Amino acid sequence: MEESANSSGSSDLEKEEVLDRMLTRLALTDDPKLETVLPKILPYSISSLSSGSPAIRKKVMEILTHLNKRVKHQKSIRLPVMELWKEYVEVGAALIVRNFCMIYIEMAFDRLTAEEKADMAPMLIANISKFPSQHQDILLRIVMKVIGECHKCQIDESIASKYKLGSDDDRGLFVEFCLLTVLYQPTSPSSGGEGTSPGLSVAQTNQVTGKLPLKGDELLSRKLGILNVIEALNLDPQLIYPLYLAATADSQELVIKRGEELLKKLASRVNLEDPKLINKLFLLLTGTVAGGSTPPESRINPVNPTFRLRLLSIFCRSITAANTFPLTLQCIFNCIFGSDSTSKLKQSGMEFTVWVFKHAVFDQLKLMGPVILSGITKFVDAHAASGSETSFWEMKSFAFQAVGLLAHRMPELFREKGEMAVRLFDALKAEDQSLRLTIQDALNALSLAYKGAPASILKDLEMLILQNSQAVQSEARFCAMRWATSLFDLQHCPSRFICMLGASDEKLDVRELALEGLHLTKDYDQDSNSESDLKYPKLNDMLNYTCSQHPKVLGSPDTREGSLLFPAKTYVAMIRFLLKLFNADYHRTLLTGDTSEFCSSFNTMFLLLEHALVYEGSVELHAIATKGLVTIGSRFPQIIASRYAGRMTWLRQFLGHISAETRECASRLMGIACSELSSSETSALISDLCSHLKGTELRRFESFHGEICALGYVVAQCRTGRPDSESLTLAAVAMEALGHIGLRGPLPLLFCDSNTAGVLTTLNERLSKLLCRDEVKAVQKIVISLGHVSYKETSLSLLNLALDLIFVLCRSKVEDVLFAAGEALSFIWGGVPITADKILKSDYISLSSSSNYLTGDVPLFSSTIDMNSMDIDDEDTRILVRDNICKKLFDGLLYSSRKEERCAGTIWLLSLTMYCGHHPKIQELLPEIQEAFSYLLGDTNELTQDLASQGMSIVYEIGNSAMKRDLVNALVGTLAGTSKRKKAIKLTEDSEVFQEGTSSQSPSGGKLSTYKELCNMANEMGQPDLIYKFMDLANYQASLNSKRGAAFGFSKIAKQAGEVLQPFVRSLVPRLVRYQYDPDKNVQDAMGHIWKFLVADPKKAVDEHFDDIVDDLLIQSGSRLWRSREASCLALADIIQGRRFSQVNICVPSCSDLLLHWTLCHTLFLGHPRR
């Protein structure tokens, strides 16, 4: 130990002597030569401070003091930077040594050239995270200063490569200090910021500035240099994103521009769902929360308003930001209610609130929702100050959106109180027009929140909705109607009454919503299936509530002079809805057998309908009111008869009404009511009606029409009467009256000039002329009446006369007339699913009116044929009549060369199949019917195709299992192109071979469509054999038509056939894929129908049958038919998109095949350039 101490003592003495010599040498060295001796003296002197000897330290301090005096003011004297840095980073260096090295390194860097600074600066931040924190700040400030001086314009790649930030800690420290520097803004004492910048704490400000604050160009240069260096380093986007954001909110235009440029490059690579990044951004926006344990000098201030706006726009794109509780809540309240908040910040804060309510998870939302709602309510109630800017209205808009979203996400916040509903309805009436749409959306969402609310709340809401349904503002009325339809179910009488009031609103959207609430729109009227599932309120309850709202309903309308109790459209909707309730209650009573409560409502219903028939009512209202009385009469004729038997005079007022429907309903009512009259009273009524018809005075058409119509119904009740009229419309009504009589039994013979003859024999010539007229509705009535007259006719000659009159229409192009003729043929055939009572004592119009031939599925009328309803002697006559009908259809019309005759035959065969499908003769004819429909699938007339496919569907439904199997096979064969036509059409010279518009013109300019025209064309060209080419094209067109028709038939059968079709899927899928790309749009649509019904998952089906599909497409790409080639190429191009080569390679196994296919495609393009 003693030797060691002696050795240490001698070493200190030696060191002291060396330092003394250095001091002497330093003193003797002139200033110009001082720079050469410093690399040896300065590092050695500083390293000697690690010695514990006071003498050595004293000597070192003498050297450093001497040196400082000489170099402090002589900037030209350079200091040994590299030697000092090596001393600093030496392992085991004492802290005092490092401290003094740091002092002189900082001094030395100021004396370097720009190139030397740029070259050495990266060295200072390598492994910077391992240095003491005080030294980190000094080194980073040195580097920032160098960056500002050397890289403000750009950074050389060689220099950028030297910035080696090996560890995450090094990168984090460097980027964080860069961010602090970019955030730094010089502050003046008058700003009240106590020397701190927005986004920084006092401590952070000191870190950036050191001893002197940064100002002007120096600060600008540093920020621009930082942005250039950070870009060159290519760091993690999550790390540098806040830095670029800070640059875009800077006060210097150049920094903002550069920041925007870099941010655009980075935006697509940033993950805004990174919690670490979002927390960092929240800290920038809100700063350090007040009241915590953080020391005052470490509390971070929020960034400036411009930066906060930028951050809020980012938060509105991040789900994580919406779920970062409690930072999300602090952000919202700081922006909306902060003392330093601006109007734009408040607006953006509201927008972020909407985002939070939309995307926050429920666990987070239930913590924030009530707190935020209390603040938002203040904005909902706030009123704009005079001259307030547009942002105020935008803030309110976001506030209403937030309420709507919160109501959707957390309905329990609103369900126990109705205050928010009142507040929003009041706002809807008071706020500016620009806000009303937003308030409407909020109200619509809020209505669902009140579902399941307490009864007392719902009662208050009923009154609120009723009040607003009559508001001046249309938006309030619309929302009231929306609440009435969405908040309450169909059985709620007050809400349905509100819908009735809304049916007469001046705004179309309010009216439509009201009718939807009453289920009176066209969609509901056409959907009979959904109607049976609806739960309506009881008729008695609805009438009682209506009377409570308008007691005058219970008053008796003695005359028609009074005023309407409700607006006409409201009254119409009310009656239509009440009739739905009537039918629902009627079917309910059939199940229960209890009619007491139901019938007790009839008197009120009668009073309401009679009030609607005052003169002030509209034509539509009178029609629906009388129809309502007929509807009740169809179910309870005795009640109607007993009420109106003594009021025939009142009913006769409506026989001259301008509405034909009203006149007919009044006539029906008179027919029902006369059953309660005595024979003498009935006879007097008939005589009175006839006397008016025979009068010579000039009278209105409507009066004639109504009286003839009434006479028909009254006589039908008594089985007597005779028509007489000149006008077509009156003649049609007269025939309709005869038809009504004929429904009860054969018409009696007429006595004329001592001879007797049947009615049809007498009227045959006139009816033939009438049926050739253009008035469609009148012709329809006459045709249907022929069926009614023949319904119970027993004379074969008269039945054949009726058939001849109907068959005259076989070339008619008016679809409605053909459908009416089909209905008439069904009545003549027998077994229709309708009774005379149904026709005469209800609102029945016709069989065809209840059949949706073209726009939906044709309903099959189930019928239990009562053969006893006809006389036994009549059966032989009917057999002959049915044979005549079959002969006309199967031997004439269905296979005619004229397309209009084929169309007529198709409609009539479809009518017979649909209305009389369960008749034994129809069942016997099903194979022939199937063959006919299969043949007609290829017709050139689209209507014929569609109806034939409908017929196939019905045949499938009523046929046995063998029939169903044959039908499926036939349809599959048609689609696959393997089936052949069993029956050919004999061509005449005017037979149409091509559809009009599908062929070209002859050289003379004429059209080419008929067989005669094609033959002439072939002869003119000197090539008679060309006609065979033309017919080949025509046959191909027919095959396309067959496929299209089969497709529609197949799609309907697919609904019923189920698993029967599964064996055919593999063979059909490739063809269906190709046909969906056919150039003919009609073929595409038809095949799309099959695809929809046959394939549940299209993508899966294509994947499973990919090989078969591609094989078919490749084969058809070389077809001689251009349609097949084009469809195959289009399908092939589409089907291989997005697939891997390994999938396609299965179908193209070799390069030679691939080359062959490529050559084929190239040839196709050359051969058909337009395609």
Side-chain angles (χ1 to χ4, degrees):
M1 288 293 293
E2 190 175 336
E3 289 180 2
S4 176
N6 291 334
S7 174
S8 176
S10 63
S11 177
D12 287 343
L13 288 173
E14 291 175 1
K15 220 177 243 191
E16 186 177 353
E17 290 177 3
V18 172
L19 289 172
D20 188 58
R21 287 195 300 272
M22 284 184 175
L23 178 58
T24 303
R25 185 178 178 185
L26 193 61
L28 296 175
T29 304
D30 295 334
D31 288 345
K33 297 180 181 180
L34 184 61
E35 186 176 330
T36 59
V37 300
L38 287 180
K40 296 179 180 179
I41 294 175
L42 188 57
Y44 184 80
S45 300
I46 293 175
S47 65
S48 299
L49 289 172
S50 60
S51 173
S53 171
I56 292 177
R57 289 191 175 187
K58 181 179 178 183
K59 188 61 69 177
V60 171
M61 294 308 296
E62 288 178 5
I63 294 173
L64 296 179
T65 302
H66 178 83
L67 183 62
N68 288 344
K69 290 177 181 180
R70 295 185 63 179
V71 303
K72 184 175 182 181
H73 300 292
Q74 296 191 53
K75 300 295 183 183
S76 60
I77 300 177
R78 296 155 57 92
L79 301 180
V81 178
M82 289 303 298
E83 289 79 0
L84 290 170
W85 180 250
K86 290 178 181 178
E87 197 67 42
Y88 179 84
V89 298
E90 185 178 347
V91 178
L95 181 58
I96 189 171
V97 173
R98 288 189 170 183
N99 287 340
F100 274 91
C101 284
M102 187 58 60
I103 293 171
Y104 286 98
I105 287 173
E106 187 175 8
M107 188 184 302
F109 254 88
D110 290 335
R111 299 161 189 268
L112 297 175
T113 63
E115 291 77 9
E116 290 173 328
K117 290 179 181 178
D119 188 59
M120 293 185 181
M123 170 185 68
L124 303 183
I125 58 172
N127 299 317
I128 192 171
S129 60
K130 299 178 181 178
F131 302 150
S133 59
Q134 307 94 312
H135 296 171
Q136 290 174 359
D137 294 340
I138 296 171
L139 292 172
L140 287 168
R141 279 197 295 270
I142 295 172
V143 174
M144 293 299 114
K145 186 174 181 180
V146 172
I147 288 174
E149 293 175 357
C150 302
H151 309 312
K152 63 181 179 182
C153 296
Q154 63 179 11
I155 180 172
D156 190 80
E157 291 184 8
S158 60
I159 300 298
S161 63
K162 294 182 180 181
Y163 280 89
K164 297 179 180 178
L165 300 169
S167 67
D168 292 339
D169 292 339
D170 291 343
R171 287 190 291 271
L173 275 173
F174 178 68
V175 174
E176 178 67 16
F177 199 88
C178 289
L179 173 61
L180 297 180
T181 305
V182 173
L183 285 172
Y184 175 80
Q185 299 291 339
T187 57
S188 60
S190 59
S191 64
E194 299 182 359
T196 59
S197 297
L200 301 178
S201 65
V202 174
Q204 289 173 333
T205 302
N206 293 334
Q207 277 182 266
V208 174
T209 61
K211 299 174 182 178
L212 297 174
L214 302 173
K215 293 182 181 179
D217 293 341
E218 181 184 5
L219 181 59
L220 173 63
S221 299
R222 287 195 187 186
K223 291 183 179 181
L224 292 174
I226 287 171
L227 294 176
N228 290 331
V229 171
I230 292 295
E231 180 190 23
L233 294 184
N234 196 23
L235 298 173
D236 180 14
Q238 307 299 111
L239 190 62
I240 60 178
Y241 188 63
L243 176 63
Y244 289 169
L245 284 175
T248 62
D250 198 76
S251 59
Q252 296 283 352
E253 185 64 32
L254 291 175
V255 178
I256 295 173
K257 185 177 180 181
R258 182 63 173 148
E260 294 282 4
E261 178 186 338
L262 295 174
L263 194 62
K264 287 179 182 178
K265 295 180 181 178
L266 188 72
S268 61
R269 296 187 289 138
V270 175
N271 177 20
L272 294 180
E273 305 306 327
D274 180 8
K276 187 176 180 180
L277 173 62
I278 294 300
N279 285 334
K280 177 71 175 177
L281 298 181
F282 267 125
L283 180 61
L284 291 172
L285 190 144
T286 60
T288 304
V289 180
S293 59
T294 308
E297 66 276 5
S298 298
R299 290 181 182 172
I300 300 172
N301 297 324
V303 293
N304 61 58
T306 304
F307 198 178
R308 278 187 271 178
L309 286 172
R310 172 77 72 165
L311 290 173
L312 283 170
S313 68
I314 292 167
F315 293 155
C316 288
R317 290 183 282 132
S318 169
I319 305 296
T320 302
N323 291 282
T324 309
F325 184 82
L327 294 177
T328 301
L329 187 60
Q330 293 166 5
C331 171
I332 291 173
F333 270 83
N334 284 354
C335 292
I336 298 177
F337 303 108
S339 57
D340 60 342
S341 183
T342 64
S343 58
K344 288 187 177 180
L345 266 179
K346 291 179 180 179
Q347 178 186 336
S348 297
M350 280 295 183
E351 185 177 0
F352 182 50
T353 303
V354 172
W355 176 266
V356 170
F357 284 169
K358 185 182 293 186
H359 296 287
V361 297
F362 186 75
D363 290 340
Q364 298 275 347
L365 190 61
K366 70 181 180 181
L367 299 174
M368 297 184 287
V371 182
I372 299 176
L373 179 62
S374 64
I376 289 177
T377 305
K378 299 177 183 178
F379 271 96
V380 172
D381 296 335
H383 296 284
S386 58
S388 61
E389 52 190 29
T390 308
S391 59
F392 174 80
W393 302 110
E394 294 176 348
M395 278 188 286
K396 292 205 74 170
S397 175
F398 284 121
F400 288 120
Q401 287 183 48
V403 171
L405 286 170
L406 194 58
H408 176 70
R409 298 289 307 279
M410 295 186 67
E412 60 274 10
L413 285 179
F414 305 90
R415 193 169 291 152
E416 301 300 323
K417 295 180 181 179
E419 295 173 358
M420 186 57 74
V422 176
R423 184 177 278 113
L424 290 187
F425 268 111
D426 290 344
L428 191 58
K429 292 180 283 189
E431 292 292 355
D432 185 74
Q433 186 70 38
S434 61
L435 286 177
R436 291 183 183 176
L437 183 61
T438 304
I439 301 173
Q440 276 185 260
D441 293 338
L443 271 169
N444 292 340
L446 189 61
S447 66
L448 301 177
Y450 283 106
K451 277 188 173 292
S456 59
I457 298 296
L458 291 176
K459 191 68 177 176
D460 294 339
L461 292 177
E462 285 178 19
M463 297 303 299
L464 178 67
I465 296 170
L466 182 58
Q467 291 168 8
N468 283 278
S469 68
Q470 305 302 309
V472 176
Q473 295 79 6
S474 62
E475 295 86 358
R477 300 196 302 273
F478 179 83
C479 282
M481 215 56 59
R482 175 69 73 185
W483 277 54
T485 55
S486 60
L487 180 56
F488 302 102
D489 59 27
L490 189 59
Q491 291 181 301
H492 187 253
C493 293
S495 63
R496 299 316 106 179
F497 181 76
I498 292 171
C499 290
M500 294 174 187
L501 297 178
S504 61
D505 197 276
E506 61 182 13
K507 291 290 186 180
L508 176 62
D509 55 349
V510 180
R511 293 199 303 272
E512 289 180 342
L513 193 55
L515 293 176
E516 186 178 337
L518 296 172
H519 288 238
L520 297 179
T521 59
K522 291 182 180 179
D523 294 337
Y524 288 113
D525 289 341
Q526 293 176 358
D527 192 354
S528 57
N529 294 328
S530 63
E531 188 75 17
S532 60
D533 300 332
L534 297 175
K535 293 183 179 180
Y536 289 106
K538 290 184 178 179
L539 177 64
N540 197 37
D541 294 341
M542 192 70 240
L543 286 171
N544 288 340
Y545 184 82
T546 303
C547 293
S548 69
Q549 295 297 316
H550 209 308
K552 288 186 178 180
V553 171
L554 297 174
S556 178
D558 297 329
T559 65
R560 297 180 63 200
E561 303 294 338
S563 58
L564 274 178
L565 302 181
F566 302 97
K569 290 184 178 179
T570 290
Y571 228 141
V572 169
M574 182 180 294
I575 293 173
R576 290 177 64 193
F577 185 67
L578 291 173
L579 289 178
K580 285 180 176 285
L581 271 57
F582 171 83
N583 289 324
D585 280 6
Y586 175 75
H587 291 297
R588 199 157 40 228
T589 57
L590 291 180
L591 298 175
T592 62
D594 182 13
T595 62
S596 57
E597 183 183 0
F598 181 40
C599 294
S600 65
S601 61
F602 283 1
N603 185 58
T604 307
M605 186 70 173
F606 288 142
L607 290 173
L608 187 141
L609 293 173
E610 290 167 6
H611 275 297
L613 292 170
V614 297
Y615 288 116
E616 189 181 316
S618 65
V619 173
E620 182 186 15
L621 176 58
H622 290 170
I624 195 69
T626 51
K627 182 181 178 181
L629 291 172
V630 171
T631 301
I632 298 175
S634 67
R635 303 283 193 264
F636 301 94
Q638 293 304 318
I639 295 178
I640 288 289
S642 61
R643 183 175 181 87
Y644 293 105
R647 302 181 65 186
M648 282 294 187
T649 304
W650 184 79
L651 285 176
R652 288 186 65 175
Q653 296 179 78
F654 302 101
L655 295 182
H657 199 279
I658 61 174
S659 166
E661 189 174 357
T662 303
R663 296 195 297 271
E664 182 160 347
C665 287
S667 301
R668 289 177 187 268
L669 290 171
M670 290 180 67
I672 297 172
C674 74
S675 64
E676 287 289 308
L677 298 179
S678 63
S679 299
S680 59
E681 289 173 325
T682 305
S683 179
L685 176 61
I686 295 173
S687 299
D688 190 32
L689 291 171
C690 291
S691 65
H692 285 89
L693 296 177
K694 294 177 181 178
T696 58
E697 70 276 7
L698 185 62
R699 303 183 64 212
R700 293 170 57 244
F701 163 81
E702 289 82 2
S703 299
F704 270 108
H705 177 276
E707 287 164 356
I708 292 174
C709 194
L711 189 61
Y713 283 103
V714 172
V715 173
Q717 187 68 32
C718 306
R719 296 190 60 192
T720 184
R722 178 179 178 177
D724 184 19
S725 177
E726 296 293 333
S727 164
L728 174 60
T729 305
L730 294 177
V733 175
M735 273 302 297
E736 189 176 35
L738 286 175
H740 293 158
I741 299 170
L743 290 170
R744 296 296 190 187
L747 294 181
L749 298 177
L750 299 178
F751 292 91
C752 184
D753 299 329
S754 301
N755 294 321
T756 59
V759 173
L760 290 182
T761 304
T762 305
L763 299 177
N764 184 43
E765 184 177 350
R766 175 175 290 182
L767 289 175
S768 298
K769 294 179 180 178
L770 294 177
L771 290 174
C772 297
R773 301 279 288 274
D774 295 332
E775 289 84 345
V776 175
K777 290 187 177 180
V779 173
Q780 277 183 277
K781 284 190 175 183
I782 293 173
V783 173
I784 292 176
S785 67
L786 287 173
H788 291 176
V789 166
S790 307
Y791 184 54
K792 291 199 172 183
E793 184 58 63
T794 57
S795 169
L796 179 61
S797 60
L798 293 178
L799 288 171
N800 285 334
L801 273 178
L803 288 178
D804 291 340
L805 289 170
I806 293 172
F807 289 151
V808 168
L809 301 170
C810 66
R811 294 192 180 183
S812 173
K813 296 182 180 180
V814 183
E815 298 168 10
D816 291 339
V817 171
L818 294 176
F819 291 141
E823 180 175 342
L825 287 174
S826 300
F827 274 95
I828 296 174
W829 184 282
V832 290
I834 201 78
T835 63
D837 284 341
K838 175 70 174 176
I839 296 173
L840 297 172
K841 296 184 179 181
S842 72
D843 57 353
Y844 167 86
I845 299 175
S846 66
L847 284 175
S848 56
S849 66
S850 60
S851 308
N852 197 1
Y853 282 88
L854 303 178
T855 60
D857 295 334
V858 175
L860 178 65
F861 289 84
S862 60
S863 174
T864 302
I865 302 172
D866 185 6
M867 298 305 294
N868 294 325
S869 64
M870 300 180 182
D871 296 333
I872 237 16
D873 298 335
D874 178 57
E875 186 57 26
D876 293 337
T877 302
R878 291 288 168 174
I879 291 173
L880 294 175
V881 169
R882 293 173 192 134
D883 289 341
N884 289 340
I885 295 174
C886 292
K887 184 177 180 180
K888 181 67 176 179
L889 291 177
F890 291 102
D891 296 343
L893 300 179
L894 294 173
Y895 301 100
S896 169
S897 61
R898 302 184 65 91
K899 67 177 182 180
E900 57 269 23
E901 291 187 356
R902 296 196 299 274
C903 182
T906 306
I907 292 175
W908 295 347
L909 183 60
L910 176 63
S911 299
L912 291 172
T913 308
M914 182 166 58
Y915 302 138
C916 311
H918 294 282
H919 192 282
K921 182 64 175 178
I922 294 293
Q923 291 286 319
E924 180 185 333
L925 290 171
L926 279 182
E928 293 181 51
I929 294 174
Q930 176 199 336
E931 181 181 346
F933 281 142
S934 299
Y935 165 78
L936 292 166
L937 289 175
D939 200 86
T940 57
N941 188 332
E942 290 189 10
L943 176 62
T944 304
Q945 288 181 43
D946 293 342
L947 294 176
S949 66
Q950 300 276 18
M952 298 285 273
S953 175
I954 294 178
V955 169
Y956 184 88
E957 187 173 346
I958 64 178
N960 56 28
S961 57
M963 174 68 65
K964 293 180 178 179
R965 184 175 59 254
D966 293 343
L967 185 55
V968 171
N969 289 333
L971 285 173
V972 172
T974 302
L975 288 172
T978 58
S979 64
K980 302 293 183 182
R981 288 197 173 193
K982 296 182 180 179
K983 191 166 184 175
I985 295 177
K986 181 180 180 180
L987 295 177
T988 61
E989 62 180 24
D990 60 345
S991 298
E992 187 178 273
V993 178
F994 291 109
Q995 287 180 268
E996 187 174 351
T998 59
S999 60
S1000 303
Q1001 294 182 339
S1002 65
S1004 60
K1007 295 181 179 179
L1008 290 177
S1009 59
T1010 66
Y1011 181 65
K1012 179 181 179 181
E1013 291 166 344
L1014 291 173
C1015 289
N1016 291 338
M1017 177 68 178
N1019 290 329
E1020 288 174 5
M1021 297 177 66
Q1023 294 180 329
D1025 58 334
L1026 196 60
I1027 187 63
Y1028 297 106
K1029 298 288 185 181
F1030 288 149
M1031 297 309 297
D1032 185 41
L1033 290 174
N1035 285 331
Y1036 177 64
Q1037 180 66 39
S1039 71
L1040 277 181
N1041 293 334
S1042 295
K1043 289 180 174 63
R1044 178 182 176 275
F1048 279 112
F1050 199 99
S1051 65
K1052 294 182 178 299
I1053 292 175
K1055 294 181 181 178
Q1056 309 168 35
E1059 296 184 359
V1060 177
L1061 297 173
Q1062 292 307 310
F1064 302 101
V1065 170
R1066 177 164 183 169
S1067 61
L1068 287 177
V1069 164
R1071 289 176 173 82
L1072 288 176
V1073 170
R1074 171 161 48 87
Y1075 285 139
Q1076 289 181 84
Y1077 293 87
D1078 193 90
D1080 189 334
K1081 184 69 167 61
N1082 292 329
V1083 174
Q1084 289 181 25
D1085 294 341
M1087 297 305 166
H1089 277 77
I1090 294 191
W1091 186 256
K1092 175 181 176 183
F1093 290 111
L1094 191 65
V1095 177
D1097 186 346
K1099 185 178 184 303
K1100 182 179 178 182
V1102 171
D1103 291 340
E1104 289 179 354
H1105 302 89
F1106 182 75
D1107 295 352
D1108 296 331
I1109 293 171
V1110 174
D1111 287 343
D1112 178 73
L1113 294 177
L1114 290 174
I1115 292 171
Q1116 293 300 321
S1117 295
S1119 170
R1120 70 185 183 88
L1121 303 174
W1122 69 267
R1123 288 176 177 270
S1124 298
R1125 297 197 301 271
E1126 180 177 337
S1128 300
C1129 291
L1130 291 173
L1132 198 59
D1134 195 19
I1135 201 173
I1136 64 175
Q1137 284 189 13
R1139 297 187 180 273
R1140 302 190 178 193
F1141 183 75
S1142 58
Q1143 295 175 283
V1144 182
N1145 192 35
I1146 299 174
C1147 307
V1148 188
S1150 67
C1151 292
S1152 60
D1153 290 338
L1154 186 61
L1155 180 61
L1156 177 62
H1157 295 146
W1158 175 258
T1159 306
L1160 174 61
C1161 292
H1162 183 64
T1163 303
L1164 291 175
F1165 275 107
L1166 292 177
H1168 209 306
R1170 287 195 314 157
R1171 297 287 174 181

